[in-house]
Amino acid sequence: GAGVSQSPSNKVTEKGKDVELRCDPISGHTALYWYRQSLGQGLEFLIYFQGNSAPDKSGLPSDRFSAERTGGSVSTLTIQRTQQEDSAVYLCASSLESVQKLFFGSGTQLSVL
Amino acid sequence: DAKTTQPPSMDCAEGRAANLPCNHSTISGNEYVYWYRQIHSQGPQYIIHGLKNNETNEMASLIITEDRKSSTLILPHATLRDTAVYYCIVVSNSGYALNFGKGTSLLVTP
């Protein structure tokens, strides 16, 4: 596609439920990033994938958070047993290798009730 | 990566130049300065980046001081559509961006 696509754009869930957020990066981009943005805050790094290398998971806030990237393309961020403090916009970005010009998707607004 | 400091908010009149400062006094020799902006309810958008020379593109100009400890993003003729949060980050070319701070919220007024 022309840009980074994220789905769903909005997700409302109940506390304790699991959610999956999807990211389709720009074709050919080998690097993929997930960020979280709470209301009125900056972007908080979650995880980084680069090609076939082991991902950098250092930003994941707890073991309830996990992400995978299948076939070096689509990525899924999974949050298990969601909590109210998980409510935020989850942003995905991709880039060409280690070049830092990131292309962001429009994000998924997650609301945990 | 080096930390950056930006004013939380700025105002600018439409048609005037908007000059957004960023302090990065601990920047290393191999670290670039990148600017992004985020319009409400959208993902951040790349604007410009530089190492030590001033840079200009169709969106903005980037002025980096000789000691590289600070920079200024210049929007030469601000429009209402330039109202956004502007983020300055510092990243090495072999690294990747960790956290973006709160940036500068620019309000362009008629």
Side-chain angles (χ1 to χ4, degrees):
Chain A
V4 177
S5 177
Q6 292 188 245
S7 60
S9 55
N10 284 281
K11 176 71 176 179
V12 180
T13 190
E14 295 179 348
K15 178 182 174 182
K17 299 286 189 181
D18 298 351
V19 295
E20 287 189 350
L21 312 179
R22 177 186 170 104
C23 174
D24 283 274
I26 293 174
S27 178
H29 281 192
T30 58
L32 187 147
Y33 313 73
W34 284 98
Y35 293 87
R36 178 170 71 175
Q37 187 171 32
S38 300
L39 188 62
Q41 302 299 309
L43 278 67
E44 175 190 6
F45 168 78
L46 296 178
I47 189 169
Y48 164 69
F49 295 90
Q50 172 57 55
N52 295 321
S53 302
D56 177 356
K57 305 179 181 181
S58 62
L60 295 178
S62 77
D63 59 8
R64 296 186 295 104
F65 288 72
S66 63
E68 63 178 19
R69 189 178 185 192
T70 55
S73 182
V74 172
S75 177
T76 302
L77 176 69
T78 301
I79 308 174
Q80 296 178 310
R81 304 180 303 281
T82 52
Q83 304 295 312
Q84 289 183 333
E85 59 263 28
D86 299 334
S87 296
V89 176
Y90 289 82
L91 290 159
C92 174
S94 69
S95 69
L96 285 169
E97 299 184 350
S98 62
V99 173
Q100 292 308 306
K101 183 176 178 179
L102 304 184
F103 293 82
F104 283 84
S106 296
T108 293
Q109 172 73 63
L110 176 65
S111 299
V112 182
L113 305 180
Chain B
D1 294 328
K3 182 179 178 180
T4 62
T5 304
Q6 299 178 254
S9 64
M10 294 182 64
D11 292 346
C12 178
E14 188 177 20
R16 304 298 294 270
N19 298 282
L20 293 92
C22 180
N23 182 285
H24 31 80
S25 58
T26 61
I27 192 170
S28 299
N30 67 341
E31 290 182 319
Y32 288 72
V33 180
Y34 278 76
W35 284 83
Y36 289 81
R37 74 179 182 184
Q38 186 174 27
I39 295 171
H40 184 61
S41 298
Q42 297 182 21
Q45 173 192 26
Y46 166 85
I47 301 174
I48 199 167
H49 75 280
L51 182 62
K52 55 183 179 180
N53 297 322
N54 298 338
E55 302 287 344
T56 296
N57 63 20
E58 66 278 5
M59 291 182 69
S61 295
L62 174 60
I63 307 298
I64 302 174
T65 58
E66 190 170 348
D67 64 8
R68 303 208 324 121
K69 293 184 177 182
S70 66
S71 61
T72 301
L73 178 75
I74 301 173
L75 308 178
H77 305 287
T79 71
L80 299 180
R81 289 175 294 180
D82 292 323
T83 292
V85 176
Y86 288 77
Y87 298 100
C88 166
I89 61 172
V90 172
V91 187
S92 71
N93 205 34
S94 60
Y96 46 91
L98 294 179
N99 298 329
F100 289 49
K102 293 186 179 181
T104 295
S105 179
L106 175 68
L107 175 64
V108 180
T109 57

PDB file of all heavy atoms in Angstrom, chain B residues 57-76:
ATOM      1  N   ASN B  57      13.996  21.864   2.908  1.00  0.00           N
ATOM      2  CA  ASN B  57      13.177  21.120   1.949  1.00  0.00           C
ATOM      3  C   ASN B  57      11.879  21.883   1.744  1.00  0.00           C
ATOM      4  O   ASN B  57      11.735  23.034   2.182  1.00  0.00           O
ATOM      5  CB  ASN B  57      12.967  19.672   2.402  1.00  0.00           C
ATOM      6  CG  ASN B  57      12.198  19.546   3.700  1.00  0.00           C
ATOM      7  OD1 ASN B  57      11.489  20.472   4.115  1.00  0.00           O
ATOM      8  ND2 ASN B  57      12.341  18.410   4.351  1.00  0.00           N
ATOM      9  N   GLU B  58      10.939  21.239   1.091  1.00  0.00           N
ATOM     10  CA  GLU B  58       9.694  21.916   0.744  1.00  0.00           C
ATOM     11  C   GLU B  58       8.843  22.240   1.965  1.00  0.00           C
ATOM     12  O   GLU B  58       7.933  23.058   1.879  1.00  0.00           O
ATOM     13  CB  GLU B  58       8.896  21.074  -0.248  1.00  0.00           C
ATOM     14  CG  GLU B  58       8.372  19.764   0.298  1.00  0.00           C
ATOM     15  CD  GLU B  58       9.407  18.655   0.297  1.00  0.00           C
ATOM     16  OE1 GLU B  58      10.593  18.922  -0.040  1.00  0.00           O
ATOM     17  OE2 GLU B  58       9.042  17.506   0.653  1.00  0.00           O
ATOM     18  N   MET B  59       9.135  21.615   3.075  1.00  0.00           N
ATOM     19  CA  MET B  59       8.323  21.831   4.268  1.00  0.00           C
ATOM     20  C   MET B  59       8.934  22.864   5.205  1.00  0.00           C
ATOM     21  O   MET B  59       8.199  23.652   5.816  1.00  0.00           O
ATOM     22  CB  MET B  59       8.137  20.526   5.043  1.00  0.00           C
ATOM     23  CG  MET B  59       7.277  19.495   4.341  1.00  0.00           C
ATOM     24  SD  MET B  59       7.055  18.020   5.353  1.00  0.00           S
ATOM     25  CE  MET B  59       6.035  18.654   6.679  1.00  0.00           C
ATOM     26  N   ALA B  60      10.258  22.811   5.375  1.00  0.00           N
ATOM     27  CA  ALA B  60      10.870  23.624   6.420  1.00  0.00           C
ATOM     28  C   ALA B  60      12.367  23.759   6.206  1.00  0.00           C
ATOM     29  O   ALA B  60      12.937  23.150   5.297  1.00  0.00           O
ATOM     30  CB  ALA B  60      10.603  22.962   7.780  1.00  0.00           C
ATOM     31  N   SER B  61      12.963  24.569   7.074  1.00  0.00           N
ATOM     32  CA  SER B  61      14.420  24.683   7.139  1.00  0.00           C
ATOM     33  C   SER B  61      14.875  24.279   8.529  1.00  0.00           C
ATOM     34  O   SER B  61      14.154  24.500   9.514  1.00  0.00           O
ATOM     35  CB  SER B  61      14.882  26.110   6.843  1.00  0.00           C
ATOM     36  OG  SER B  61      14.588  26.471   5.516  1.00  0.00           O
ATOM     37  N   LEU B  62      16.059  23.692   8.591  1.00  0.00           N
ATOM     38  CA  LEU B  62      16.644  23.281   9.857  1.00  0.00           C
ATOM     39  C   LEU B  62      17.984  23.977  10.005  1.00  0.00           C
ATOM     40  O   LEU B  62      18.857  23.823   9.145  1.00  0.00           O
ATOM     41  CB  LEU B  62      16.831  21.758   9.893  1.00  0.00           C
ATOM     42  CG  LEU B  62      17.561  21.176  11.096  1.00  0.00           C
ATOM     43  CD1 LEU B  62      16.818  21.500  12.389  1.00  0.00           C
ATOM     44  CD2 LEU B  62      17.722  19.667  10.929  1.00  0.00           C
ATOM     45  N   ILE B  63      18.103  24.725  11.086  1.00  0.00           N
ATOM     46  CA  ILE B  63      19.349  25.429  11.385  1.00  0.00           C
ATOM     47  C   ILE B  63      19.980  24.759  12.600  1.00  0.00           C
ATOM     48  O   ILE B  63      19.344  24.690  13.665  1.00  0.00           O
ATOM     49  CB  ILE B  63      19.098  26.915  11.691  1.00  0.00           C
ATOM     50  CG1 ILE B  63      18.284  27.567  10.567  1.00  0.00           C
ATOM     51  CG2 ILE B  63      20.431  27.638  11.898  1.00  0.00           C
ATOM     52  CD1 ILE B  63      18.960  27.552   9.224  1.00  0.00           C
ATOM     53  N   ILE B  64      21.192  24.258  12.449  1.00  0.00           N
ATOM     54  CA  ILE B  64      21.908  23.595  13.542  1.00  0.00           C
ATOM     55  C   ILE B  64      23.101  24.474  13.912  1.00  0.00           C
ATOM     56  O   ILE B  64      23.870  24.877  13.036  1.00  0.00           O
ATOM     57  CB  ILE B  64      22.384  22.191  13.120  1.00  0.00           C
ATOM     58  CG1 ILE B  64      21.196  21.332  12.679  1.00  0.00           C
ATOM     59  CG2 ILE B  64      23.124  21.506  14.271  1.00  0.00           C
ATOM     60  CD1 ILE B  64      21.581  19.977  12.110  1.00  0.00           C
ATOM     61  N   THR B  65      23.248  24.770  15.183  1.00  0.00           N
ATOM     62  CA  THR B  65      24.359  25.612  15.616  1.00  0.00           C
ATOM     63  C   THR B  65      25.691  24.911  15.360  1.00  0.00           C
ATOM     64  O   THR B  65      25.748  23.672  15.244  1.00  0.00           O
ATOM     65  CB  THR B  65      24.240  25.960  17.102  1.00  0.00           C
ATOM     66  OG1 THR B  65      24.191  24.747  17.875  1.00  0.00           O
ATOM     67  CG2 THR B  65      22.989  26.775  17.359  1.00  0.00           C
ATOM     68  N   GLU B  66      26.739  25.704  15.302  1.00  0.00           N
ATOM     69  CA  GLU B  66      28.058  25.158  14.965  1.00  0.00           C
ATOM     70  C   GLU B  66      28.505  24.099  15.968  1.00  0.00           C
ATOM     71  O   GLU B  66      29.133  23.101  15.597  1.00  0.00           O
ATOM     72  CB  GLU B  66      29.086  26.282  14.902  1.00  0.00           C
ATOM     73  CG  GLU B  66      30.426  25.854  14.319  1.00  0.00           C
ATOM     74  CD  GLU B  66      31.350  27.011  14.039  1.00  0.00           C
ATOM     75  OE1 GLU B  66      30.884  28.173  14.077  1.00  0.00           O
ATOM     76  OE2 GLU B  66      32.539  26.772  13.785  1.00  0.00           O
ATOM     77  N   ASP B  67      28.181  24.302  17.250  1.00  0.00           N
ATOM     78  CA  ASP B  67      28.551  23.303  18.261  1.00  0.00           C
ATOM     79  C   ASP B  67      27.559  22.147  18.336  1.00  0.00           C
ATOM     80  O   ASP B  67      27.749  21.209  19.112  1.00  0.00           O
ATOM     81  CB  ASP B  67      28.717  23.955  19.640  1.00  0.00           C
ATOM     82  CG  ASP B  67      27.421  24.550  20.171  1.00  0.00           C
ATOM     83  OD1 ASP B  67      26.356  24.343  19.552  1.00  0.00           O
ATOM     84  OD2 ASP B  67      27.471  25.241  21.193  1.00  0.00           O
ATOM     85  N   ARG B  68      26.510  22.228  17.541  1.00  0.00           N
ATOM     86  CA  ARG B  68      25.469  21.184  17.426  1.00  0.00           C
ATOM     87  C   ARG B  68      24.674  20.971  18.705  1.00  0.00           C
ATOM     88  O   ARG B  68      23.955  19.989  18.810  1.00  0.00           O
ATOM     89  CB  ARG B  68      26.070  19.860  16.956  1.00  0.00           C
ATOM     90  CG  ARG B  68      26.805  19.963  15.653  1.00  0.00           C
ATOM     91  CD  ARG B  68      26.850  18.691  14.812  1.00  0.00           C
ATOM     92  NE  ARG B  68      26.967  17.461  15.575  1.00  0.00           N
ATOM     93  CZ  ARG B  68      26.085  16.471  15.522  1.00  0.00           C
ATOM     94  NH1 ARG B  68      25.011  16.568  14.770  1.00  0.00           N
ATOM     95  NH2 ARG B  68      26.287  15.374  16.219  1.00  0.00           N
ATOM     96  N   LYS B  69      24.772  21.872  19.643  1.00  0.00           N
ATOM     97  CA  LYS B  69      24.057  21.676  20.897  1.00  0.00           C
ATOM     98  C   LYS B  69      22.618  22.151  20.840  1.00  0.00           C
ATOM     99  O   LYS B  69      21.841  21.927  21.780  1.00  0.00           O
ATOM    100  CB  LYS B  69      24.811  22.368  22.028  1.00  0.00           C
ATOM    101  CG  LYS B  69      26.157  21.712  22.329  1.00  0.00           C
ATOM    102  CD  LYS B  69      26.831  22.358  23.521  1.00  0.00           C
ATOM    103  CE  LYS B  69      28.142  21.626  23.846  1.00  0.00           C
ATOM    104  NZ  LYS B  69      28.815  22.194  25.044  1.00  0.00           N
ATOM    105  N   SER B  70      22.243  22.812  19.785  1.00  0.00           N
ATOM    106  CA  SER B  70      20.850  23.233  19.628  1.00  0.00           C
ATOM    107  C   SER B  70      20.523  23.392  18.150  1.00  0.00           C
ATOM    108  O   SER B  70      21.421  23.453  17.298  1.00  0.00           O
ATOM    109  CB  SER B  70      20.582  24.539  20.375  1.00  0.00           C
ATOM    110  OG  SER B  70      21.312  25.596  19.785  1.00  0.00           O
ATOM    111  N   SER B  71      19.233  23.419  17.877  1.00  0.00           N
ATOM    112  CA  SER B  71      18.782  23.602  16.503  1.00  0.00           C
ATOM    113  C   SER B  71      17.459  24.345  16.499  1.00  0.00           C
ATOM    114  O   SER B  71      16.792  24.461  17.538  1.00  0.00           O
ATOM    115  CB  SER B  71      18.645  22.249  15.790  1.00  0.00           C
ATOM    116  OG  SER B  71      17.695  21.419  16.437  1.00  0.00           O
ATOM    117  N   THR B  72      17.091  24.844  15.328  1.00  0.00           N
ATOM    118  CA  THR B  72      15.825  25.550  15.166  1.00  0.00           C
ATOM    119  C   THR B  72      15.150  25.078  13.893  1.00  0.00           C
ATOM    120  O   THR B  72      15.787  25.030  12.828  1.00  0.00           O
ATOM    121  CB  THR B  72      16.038  27.071  15.067  1.00  0.00           C
ATOM    122  OG1 THR B  72      16.689  27.537  16.254  1.00  0.00           O
ATOM    123  CG2 THR B  72      14.715  27.797  14.907  1.00  0.00           C
ATOM    124  N   LEU B  73      13.912  24.714  14.027  1.00  0.00           N
ATOM    125  CA  LEU B  73      13.099  24.372  12.870  1.00  0.00           C
ATOM    126  C   LEU B  73      12.362  25.633  12.455  1.00  0.00           C
ATOM    127  O   LEU B  73      11.728  26.283  13.286  1.00  0.00           O
ATOM    128  CB  LEU B  73      12.099  23.271  13.207  1.00  0.00           C
ATOM    129  CG  LEU B  73      11.169  22.869  12.066  1.00  0.00           C
ATOM    130  CD1 LEU B  73      11.937  22.022  11.042  1.00  0.00           C
ATOM    131  CD2 LEU B  73       9.965  22.096  12.595  1.00  0.00           C
ATOM    132  N   ILE B  74      12.433  25.974  11.181  1.00  0.00           N
ATOM    133  CA  ILE B  74      11.786  27.175  10.689  1.00  0.00           C
ATOM    134  C   ILE B  74      10.726  26.820   9.654  1.00  0.00           C
ATOM    135  O   ILE B  74      11.024  26.164   8.649  1.00  0.00           O
ATOM    136  CB  ILE B  74      12.809  28.137  10.049  1.00  0.00           C
ATOM    137  CG1 ILE B  74      13.877  28.531  11.072  1.00  0.00           C
ATOM    138  CG2 ILE B  74      12.113  29.385   9.503  1.00  0.00           C
ATOM    139  CD1 ILE B  74      15.024  29.345  10.488  1.00  0.00           C
ATOM    140  N   LEU B  75       9.493  27.241   9.956  1.00  0.00           N
ATOM    141  CA  LEU B  75       8.417  27.168   8.973  1.00  0.00           C
ATOM    142  C   LEU B  75       8.299  28.580   8.417  1.00  0.00           C
ATOM    143  O   LEU B  75       7.828  29.481   9.119  1.00  0.00           O
ATOM    144  CB  LEU B  75       7.119  26.724   9.629  1.00  0.00           C
ATOM    145  CG  LEU B  75       7.170  25.445  10.460  1.00  0.00           C
ATOM    146  CD1 LEU B  75       5.801  25.165  11.081  1.00  0.00           C
ATOM    147  CD2 LEU B  75       7.627  24.270   9.625  1.00  0.00           C
ATOM    148  N   PRO B  76       8.723  28.837   7.197  1.00  0.00           N
ATOM    149  CA  PRO B  76       8.890  30.222   6.727  1.00  0.00           C
ATOM    150  C   PRO B  76       7.606  31.041   6.657  1.00  0.00           C
ATOM    151  O   PRO B  76       7.629  32.238   6.926  1.00  0.00           O
ATOM    152  CB  PRO B  76       9.531  30.055   5.352  1.00  0.00           C
ATOM    153  CG  PRO B  76       9.252  28.666   4.937  1.00  0.00           C
ATOM    154  CD  PRO B  76       9.136  27.864   6.191  1.00  0.00           C
TER     155      PRO B  76
END
